[in-house]
Amino acid sequence: MPRVIPVEASQAASPLQPVEDQFLTLYVMAVFLVLAIAFWFLPGARTIIAPFKLYVIGWHELCHMLTAVLTGGKVVSVTIEPMHGGCTRVDGGKPKIILSSGYLGSTLLGGLYVFAAWHTLAAKITSVVTAVGLLTPLIVVRDKLTMLLILLWTGLLVGFWFIDHASPLRWYSMYVGINHVFFAVWDFTDDRLFKKTNDSDCTQFALLFPKTKPYHWALGWVFFEVWIFVAFILCGLIAFKRTPEQMQAEAAAFLPT
């Protein structure tokens, strides 16, 4: 049976050839992709990750809101609910651009998180963004369980800063990124399986273009998300060929722990 021999960062024969630590990153990424699917849909698990869902849905709706304002529209109302999705009602603006911006913004932010997961320094930076995204809902959330979960997940994020020179932040960044980048999957599947109150954007696209079906848009957006996901994986694979020791030294330049 052939044996995989780890490659040192300085010995990689090709920019796309993973070095030793990068093999681990790819393995963890595959596991987290499966876990993200399970946690988003399984009863009980859906509640546990409610803080992440609020962050992911909130960012998605923020993209709609910003695009509405930038295209001359007015935001009438916004709803963000972890189990029923989000809804941004807009008066005016350019509907096609406003609707597209949600999936586009979610996918690109998720791609940046996935890219950051390849290096501890980058993951440290994204962890600050994540903390803001997790804690912001506390302004309006009144459900005690959700508030407790937000504090627990944020506490875990902070704790990771002090474990192995903050290297676990890479896995945190990866999980958050996967949830963002595949938002069209969660949005469309929630709509079909759980009949959520707020329609998916795929359904809204079908209403905007009556000759199409929601699943046509779902397939198109999922293909786009997979393409972006792979693109950022390759960027990280090429850009961050480091040994754990090199990463620790570079990460120490930003808030060393």
Side-chain angles (χ1 to χ4, degrees), residues 23-34:
F23 278 109
L24 175 61
T25 304
L26 291 170
Y27 295 148
V28 173
M29 194 173 295
V31 172
F32 275 23
L33 185 57
V34 174

Side-chain angles (χ1 to χ4, degrees), residues 149-168:
L149 288 169
I150 289 173
L151 294 176
L152 286 174
W153 282 113
T154 306
L156 182 64
L157 178 67
V158 173
F160 279 174
W161 272 78
F162 301 95
I163 299 176
D164 193 22
H165 303 284
S167 63

Side-chain angles (χ1 to χ4, degrees), residues 67-190:
T67 311
V69 173
L70 291 173
T71 58
K74 178 183 178 181
V75 177
V76 177
S77 65
V78 180
T79 302
I80 300 172
E81 214 287 330
M83 301 305 164
H84 300 288
C87 179
T88 299
R89 300 188 184 280
V90 175
D91 182 19
K94 297 185 182 298
K96 297 176 184 177
I97 297 176
I98 295 170
L99 190 55
S100 299
S101 67
Y103 285 157
L104 183 62
S106 294
T107 305
L108 292 178
L109 180 62
L112 290 173
Y113 267 104
V114 170
F115 179 73
W118 291 89
H119 196 295
T120 305
L121 175 58
K124 278 185 169 184
I125 296 170
T126 57
S127 73
V128 177
V129 179
T130 303
V132 174
L134 290 175
L135 291 172
T136 299
L138 287 175
I139 298 172
V140 294
V141 168
R142 293 295 175 264
D143 178 69
K144 292 182 179 179
L145 177 59
T146 303
M147 293 172 69
L148 177 61
L149 288 169
I150 289 173
L151 294 176
L152 286 174
W153 282 113
T154 306
L156 182 64
L157 178 67
V158 173
F160 279 174
W161 272 78
F162 301 95
I163 299 176
D164 193 22
H165 303 284
S167 63
L169 289 175
R170 294 173 57 201
W171 315 133
Y172 206 109
S173 179
M174 184 184 299
Y175 179 75
V176 174
I178 289 172
N179 277 278
H180 274 293
V181 80
F182 289 111
F183 185 78
V185 176
W186 324 134
D187 191 37
F188 179 74
T189 311
D190 266 349

Side-chain angles (χ1 to χ4, degrees), residues 32-55:
F32 275 23
L33 185 57
V34 174
L35 287 177
I37 295 171
F39 274 93
W40 197 277
F41 299 122
L42 289 178
R46 287 166 56 82
T47 301
I48 292 173
I49 65 164
F52 293 110
K53 298 182 79 171
L54 283 171
Y55 174 30

